[in-house]
Amino acid sequence: MKPAMRILGLVALCAACTSSSPDPAAKQTYKFGPFTIAPGEEVTGRCVQIDLHNADDLYINTIDLSTGPGFHHSNWFFVPEHFYSDQPGTFDCDETAVTVTAAINGGVLFAQSTQLAQQTQAFPEGVAIHIPPHSKLLAQIHLLNPGDSALNLSPSITLTPLAKADVTTVMAAISFENHALGLPPNKQSRFTLDCDLGPEWQSLYASGDVPAPAPNFKIYYALAHYHKLGTGLTLEAVKPDGTATTVFSTTNGVGDSLGGAIDPQFDMTGYSRLRFSCDYYNNTAATVPWGVGTNEMCVFLAFSDSNYNWGGGVEQDAAPGDPTDVNGVMSYTHSCQVLANDASR
């Protein structure tokens, strides 16, 4: 979901990988790091790359990430293996540039719930994310040690693929984020983006004078990302007449799972918009903007069987605008940018 995320005592070693091509249907575990995080240290602007050495297509059904405490968050992509080949396994990176690089040249693989030390992303039988031959994993990592003792982490990520013959459905990513945050002090607040897929969908599917059908894909998995002031995220699908249906919601806090499978899958047929809201309770005396550390974020990642990856939102820091008081909740809305690219490339 960049979304969108220097280091004293960090030990960066090359990611563990083999020199021969793995069996494209065999589970593979890749270690990365290790990392040492000093007491009170926060680490941003770092990336990890793991060479897959895959001569064949990979179809990933399940991903297991094991990090341990101190791994605040990580976003995982795949890109061609020659990208960042001049960098070590862990390196300083421009996270925005990494997101753009992955969006244009690769794809989204996985996102970790905030400060969750062990997480699994699993799709139903026959459903997978396609990773092309000669790819590598690329992750933005955000480390945070709020304790009084150093943390020594040796994380790993495990990919469980399907044989190509067993694949029935290939996933595409949906990722929106709202940088227009300004949590008012000592108040509950809600920040909402209403994202209309219709115009972009028409431009992709309309033919001559024949309009495109309405969006008709299904959503299989969703995950929220916010920090310690976050109290929940709600994702809704909205019909042209304004009728809204909840697709996914969470009220879990930092350290708990903020994502999971949508079962049964949500069918977007008849809906043209995705609306998502992040809820917060700011118990401090300061207005809290978008950002790392004690600041906040509002992001969701989902996977669908659309032929296109969908994304956007408010991707640059912006003022949230004037709120409306809704039963004591300061409620903000902002315009939403919608982008799409071909998921099959």
Side-chain angles (χ1 to χ4, degrees):
M1 234 198 172
K2 187 176 186 178
M5 298 234 248
R6 79 186 253 294
I7 178 167
L8 177 64
L10 173 64
V11 181
L13 298 180
C14 179
C17 49
T18 61
S19 58
S20 59
S21 179
D23 180 345
K27 179 186 292 189
Q28 299 285 335
T29 296
Y30 303 89
K31 296 181 179 180
F32 57 99
F35 305 98
T36 297
I37 318 172
E41 185 177 19
E42 182 171 20
V43 180
T44 60
R46 300 287 283 175
C47 285
V48 166
Q49 58 178 333
I50 300 174
D51 289 321
L52 297 176
H53 296 287
N54 60 313
D56 302 300
D57 294 288
L58 296 175
Y59 292 90
I60 306 302
N61 174 263
T62 303
I63 299 164
D64 294 286
L65 180 69
S66 178
T67 59
F71 237 81
H72 177 73
H73 185 63
S74 56
N75 297 316
W76 292 80
F77 310 93
F78 56 88
V79 296
E81 63 185 5
H82 66 273
F83 281 67
Y84 302 101
S85 59
D86 60 336
Q87 298 293 333
T90 303
F91 61 100
D92 290 321
C93 63
D94 179 333
E95 293 179 329
T96 300
V98 164
T99 300
V100 172
T101 296
I104 295 173
N105 301 284
V108 178
L109 182 70
F110 173 82
Q112 174 193 359
S113 294
T114 312
Q115 290 181 204
L116 188 62
Q118 180 83 41
Q119 185 161 1
T120 298
Q121 174 183 292
F123 298 122
E125 183 178 353
V127 178
I129 296 171
H130 172 229
I131 299 180
H134 308 294
S135 293
K136 66 171 50 172
L137 303 186
L138 182 64
Q140 304 161 336
I141 61 172
H142 181 184
L143 309 180
L144 177 64
N145 180 5
D148 297 326
S149 301
L151 294 174
N152 299 298
L153 307 179
S154 297
S156 65
I157 187 168
T158 298
L159 308 183
T160 302
L162 301 176
K164 186 175 182 178
D166 295 331
V167 177
T168 59
T169 307
V170 175
M171 293 285 90
I174 306 173
S175 180
F176 284 83
E177 55 192 60
N178 184 2
H179 287 228
L181 299 183
L183 282 59
N186 297 305
K187 290 185 180 294
Q188 291 181 309
S189 56
R190 165 170 280 207
F191 295 80
T192 299
L193 296 184
D194 195 330
C195 305
D196 189 357
L197 278 54
E200 188 69 18
W201 186 273
Q202 287 292 323
S203 71
L204 294 170
Y205 285 100
S207 177
D209 295 331
V210 179
N216 57 2
F217 56 84
K218 293 179 180 177
I219 301 175
Y220 285 67
Y221 181 96
L223 179 136
H225 179 68
Y226 43 78
H227 296 164
K228 67 179 182 179
L229 300 181
T231 59
L233 180 146
T234 301
L235 172 64
E236 299 171 291
V238 185
K239 293 181 177 180
D241 66 2
T243 301
T245 303
T246 299
V247 178
F248 167 81
S249 65
T250 179
T251 56
N252 286 346
V254 168
D256 295 321
S257 177
L258 298 180
I262 296 174
D263 185 18
Q265 293 87 44
F266 186 86
D267 190 343
M268 282 290 293
T269 300
Y271 297 86
S272 59
R273 297 168 9 227
L274 287 173
R275 181 169 66 203
F276 75 104
S277 301
C278 291
D279 296 319
Y280 305 92
Y281 176 58
N282 178 9
N283 58 359
T284 76
T287 299
V288 177
W290 167 280
V292 298
T294 58
N295 295 332
E296 269 298 339
M297 291 188 179
C298 175
V299 182
F300 85 87
L301 168 68
F303 288 97
S304 81
D305 59 6
S306 173
N307 293 325
Y308 290 86
N309 296 309
W310 296 90
V314 181
E315 297 186 310
Q316 302 293 330
D317 294 358
D322 296 325
T324 300
D325 188 333
V326 181
N327 298 321
V329 179
M330 306 307 291
S331 300
Y332 301 79
T333 60
H334 201 284
S335 60
C336 176
Q337 181 184 30
V338 175
L339 305 170
N341 63 27
D342 186 352
S344 65
R345 64 195 198 291

